[in-house]
Amino acid sequence: SLSLSLSLSLDLIINLLFINYILTSLQDYCSRLGFKTANWTLDDAFEYISNKANRYETPSNASKREENSVKIYDKYSPRIAEKLNELKDNPNVDDERANDINNSDDLRSAISGKISFESLCLKCLRVSNDKMDVHPFFEGSLCKDCSERYKPCMFVFGNDSKCFYCTVCAASGMVIICDKEDCPRVYCTACMKHLLCPTTYEQVLQEDPWECFLCTSSMPRSFTDTIVRPRANWKDRIINMFRTSCESNGGRHLVAGHNQERRKIRVLSLFDGLGTGLLVLLKLGFNVDAYYASEIDPDALLVTASHFGDRILQLGNVKDITNKTIKEIAPIDLLIGGSPCNDLSLANPARLGLHDPKGTGILFFEYRRILKLVKKLNNERHLFWLYENVASMPSEYRLEINKHLGQEPDVIDSADFSPQHRLRLYWHNFPIEPDLLPSQREQDVQDILTPHCQRYSLVKKIRTVTTKVNSLKQGKLALKPIIMKDESDSLWITELEEIFGFPRHYTDVKNLSATKRQRLIGKSWSVQTLTAIFKCLCPFFECDVVEAKDES
């Protein structure tokens, strides 16, 4: 009887909350149209809905919104503006971070000029005697411990394509979000109030839209109000975030010492997906002697079979590749692979990590096992290898991968080569430097939209596309990124294929649904990025001088 009573009470509370949400939403919507809704009841709201004429009328006394205004009370309805003002007037500044800032003797020394800001860790606000890492975004550094906690936080994005953690100190909690759609950066209230804009903090809170310190349009500002100043070359700094050594990851010495006769390339691709490796090699004009692949997704296998037939020699599940298998296919010139990232990403709170046998993170060790086998059985032939995964993994995962591969990763963003931000870590022994990768024709989303259909992009670069349908929406409002005939629209799958560098209709096989096609594409490598990376291999193998056309 008691449990029944509690259940009924809970149902009543939920129903009342639901009714209140409906009323509040209708009040807000109608107030945007100019109706006076402050004293509305639910009956008033339903009466408005039932009157069809109301849907097309606007009260004559409705005030026109000023489109160019930066005041929140002009841009939003009175009800929403009231709530926003409450938050902005009391933004819940993190007391712990604020106390750290106010009590830091080292910070005061940096402000007074007694020490350089480059000697100060912007996260713990202390000077360390040990070697410091450069803070990628602002003038300052990160001590060793803080750096390892900070690095993965910079690339953890929510469904709104904005970061979870503060750009300065990697704090969570209440953050101020950059309103520029192409910028994912957020800033905690404590850093904003005490480090970034101490004398204009309240003014900044009233700006709407607000563009942050790293955005191009904001860079010309004079930063007289800013204690911690942004770096002009922060994009270049990101590339070296994951390096603890100044040594190159790759084998640049191979280029200078290479005088062997060129031969056709033999490839083993693990977690092959849509055959991106073969597509890129053919695009670059490589003469491929053999392309072996391990893939188990039936839809992916169908797509690659329809394009490449028996040019891809399928080996089945990566776990079934044995010593005998490698002996039969050796020698191998190029080993590539990127194991599933879901259980390694900080964006997944239920991640199982590297070692849980129930998860996919453990598949990294299959790549490592096969890498060792190929090196052992390769008949002294040089092996180029490449492993890829997300940048947003916890530091302990990245450091363990470093240990097993004997290499630190390079961080490369596909936005440098395509209309998509896709930040990834690449472990490899290629003779390349990521900041010197051959540039390709800069491309924005508008460049790939289907012509003659009045389609216009709201963003230049889309955020990272995953297997989730919602990843196609952009910004903190999760808006569709395209306007077509004055209505919002999503990217079409054919356009998404081109954003990833695939030919249009590449995944249009067996009447696969749009959702299934996006899942396949969302797990894939960026063709443009892989093309830039693979170009450095041309001097080592038979390769046409003129770049070949896509073969699909």
Side-chain angles (χ1 to χ4, degrees):
S1 176
L2 178 60
S3 61
L4 178 61
S5 176
L6 289 173
S7 177
L8 290 173
S9 298
L10 183 59
D11 288 342
L12 179 60
I13 292 171
I14 292 173
N15 287 333
L16 289 173
L17 287 173
F18 181 66
I19 291 170
N20 184 58
Y21 292 151
I22 292 175
L23 176 58
T24 303
S25 299
L26 286 169
Q27 284 178 300
D28 176 55
Y29 173 75
C30 293
S31 66
R32 290 169 185 260
L33 299 178
F35 290 91
K36 296 180 179 179
T37 64
N39 298 319
W40 270 20
T41 65
L42 200 59
D43 289 337
D44 296 320
F46 285 136
E47 181 180 348
Y48 168 82
I49 293 174
S50 62
N51 188 342
K52 293 183 179 180
N54 284 339
R55 303 177 197 177
Y56 307 102
E57 292 181 358
T58 301
S60 57
N61 61 343
S63 59
K64 185 177 180 181
R65 192 180 78 184
E66 297 179 34
E67 295 295 338
N68 296 325
S69 174
V70 295
K71 298 297 184 181
I72 61 169
Y73 47 79
D74 288 332
K75 185 173 181 180
Y76 299 106
S77 69
R79 293 184 62 80
I80 295 299
E82 181 183 355
K83 292 298 181 183
L84 286 174
N85 274 320
E86 287 178 9
L87 290 173
K88 289 171 183 281
D89 290 339
N90 183 24
N92 188 28
V93 176
D94 183 352
D95 290 336
E96 184 176 354
R97 174 65 175 171
N99 288 335
D100 289 343
I101 293 172
N102 292 326
N103 296 327
S104 172
D105 292 333
D106 289 337
L107 175 60
R108 283 194 288 272
S109 296
I111 294 173
S112 64
K114 293 180 181 178
I115 63 172
S116 166
F117 260 100
E118 295 295 354
S119 65
L120 179 71
C121 174
L122 295 186
K123 183 168 173 61
C124 69
L125 301 173
R126 299 187 183 95
V127 173
S128 173
N129 294 326
D130 298 326
K131 183 179 178 181
M132 309 270 279
D133 289 341
V134 172
H135 194 291
F137 299 106
F138 289 87
E139 294 178 1
S141 297
L142 292 164
C143 67
K144 183 178 179 181
D145 290 341
C146 289
S147 180
E148 292 308 322
R149 295 197 299 272
Y150 176 94
K151 290 175 184 177
C153 294
M154 287 303 93
F155 312 111
V156 183
F157 303 102
N159 290 334
D160 60 357
S161 299
K162 299 294 183 179
C163 289
F164 285 159
Y165 300 96
C166 173
T167 303
V168 178
C169 68
S172 56
M174 181 173 284
V175 293
I176 297 171
I177 299 174
C178 177
D179 282 314
K180 192 172 181 180
E181 293 295 344
D182 292 339
C183 178
R185 297 296 149 201
V186 304
Y187 303 84
C188 74
T189 50
C191 283
M192 284 288 290
K193 185 171 184 177
H194 299 287
L195 296 179
L196 298 175
C197 47
T199 63
T200 58
Y201 178 64
E202 287 75 15
Q203 177 184 334
V204 167
L205 290 181
Q206 296 301 321
E207 290 185 23
D208 194 349
W210 174 74
E211 292 186 359
C212 79
F213 310 89
L214 304 178
C215 290
T216 304
S217 61
S218 295
M219 289 304 289
R221 289 178 181 172
S222 63
F223 290 101
T224 55
D225 179 52
T226 301
I227 294 175
V228 177
R229 297 168 61 88
R231 297 186 187 278
N233 63 339
W234 60 268
K235 290 184 179 179
D236 297 329
R237 295 288 186 176
I238 293 177
I239 292 175
N240 294 315
M241 273 187 71
F242 296 92
R243 294 240 188 118
T244 58
S245 168
C246 296
E247 297 292 327
S248 168
N249 273 345
R252 285 183 293 177
H253 62 282
L254 291 173
V255 177
H258 181 71
N259 55 12
Q260 295 181 358
E261 182 179 350
R262 293 185 182 186
R263 57 177 178 265
K264 295 181 179 180
I265 191 169
R266 296 175 60 83
V267 184
L268 173 56
S269 173
L270 307 179
F271 321 103
D272 186 57
L274 295 177
T276 313
L278 181 56
L279 181 70
V280 168
L281 290 170
L282 296 177
K283 177 181 178 180
L284 289 171
F286 280 83
N287 291 321
V288 180
D289 183 30
Y291 187 93
Y292 299 97
S294 171
E295 180 56 61
I296 59 173
D297 186 307
D299 292 335
L301 289 170
L302 191 63
V303 171
T304 54
S306 69
H307 290 291
F308 301 111
D310 58 5
R311 294 195 71 170
I312 296 182
L313 304 170
Q314 294 290 347
L315 302 179
N317 194 319
V318 67
K319 296 178 181 179
D320 297 330
I321 295 177
T322 63
N323 193 79
K324 179 182 178 183
T325 309
I326 301 301
K327 277 185 178 180
E328 291 174 350
I329 67 174
I332 295 296
D333 297 302
L334 174 63
L335 173 67
I336 58 175
S339 56
C341 64
N342 185 55
D343 280 321
L344 300 181
S345 175
L346 278 171
N348 176 18
R351 62 187 177 277
L352 297 177
L354 269 174
H355 297 283
D356 195 317
K358 297 178 182 178
T360 57
I362 200 169
L363 290 174
F364 158 73
F365 294 101
E366 295 298 330
Y367 179 92
R368 173 63 182 130
R369 176 180 67 84
I370 293 169
L371 175 61
K372 292 177 69 174
L373 278 178
V374 174
K375 286 182 176 180
K376 177 182 176 182
L377 301 171
N378 221 29
N379 302 324
E380 298 186 354
R381 181 178 290 196
H382 178 77
L383 175 69
F384 289 104
W385 58 268
L386 174 78
Y387 177 76
E388 173 264 2
N389 219 295
V390 291
S392 61
M393 65 174 67
S395 292
E396 59 265 30
Y397 301 167
R398 173 175 51 82
L399 294 175
E400 185 164 357
I401 293 174
N402 289 354
K403 180 181 69 176
H404 286 285
L405 295 180
Q407 197 68 271
E408 293 184 322
D410 286 325
V411 58
I412 300 174
D413 190 351
S414 295
D416 294 334
F417 314 103
S418 74
Q420 176 190 195
H421 286 281
R422 197 173 183 83
L423 208 66
R424 292 293 185 267
L425 299 180
Y426 294 86
W427 289 261
H428 63 85
N429 67 340
F430 286 21
I432 62 169
E433 286 291 346
D435 53 341
L436 299 177
L437 285 174
S439 60
Q440 303 172 50
R441 182 178 68 86
E442 187 172 346
Q443 195 180 48
D444 293 333
V445 175
Q446 186 63 48
D447 299 324
I448 60 90
L449 295 182
T450 305
H452 315 304
C453 293
Q454 300 180 39
R455 292 174 65 73
Y456 301 96
S457 176
L458 298 175
V459 295
K460 288 188 176 182
K461 310 281 184 180
I462 62 171
R463 299 306 311 171
T464 302
V465 174
T466 68
T467 57
K468 296 180 180 179
V469 174
N470 279 344
S471 67
L472 289 176
K473 296 181 180 179
Q474 304 292 302
K476 62 179 181 287
L477 298 179
L479 300 175
K480 295 179 180 179
I482 308 301
I483 293 293
M484 180 176 174
K485 297 180 180 179
D486 297 326
E487 294 185 1
S488 61
D489 194 14
S490 295
L491 283 163
W492 296 346
I493 294 299
T494 49
E495 295 166 341
L496 185 61
E497 288 168 331
E498 191 168 341
I499 283 175
F500 272 77
F502 295 106
R504 291 195 173 217
H505 300 287
Y506 186 82
T507 59
D508 191 3
V509 178
K510 194 188 174 183
N511 294 325
L512 289 178
S513 67
T515 301
K516 284 189 173 182
R517 290 170 67 184
Q518 184 193 324
R519 285 175 183 164
L520 291 173
I521 297 167
K523 292 187 287 187
S524 179
W525 283 348
S526 162
V527 171
Q528 300 96 320
T529 306
L530 208 59
T531 299
I533 294 172
F534 278 8
K535 273 187 178 180
C536 71
L537 300 181
C538 289
F540 300 92
F541 302 98
E542 286 186 16
C543 186
D544 296 341
V545 176
V546 179
E547 183 176 293
K549 294 181 179 179
D550 295 350
E551 298 195 16
S552 53

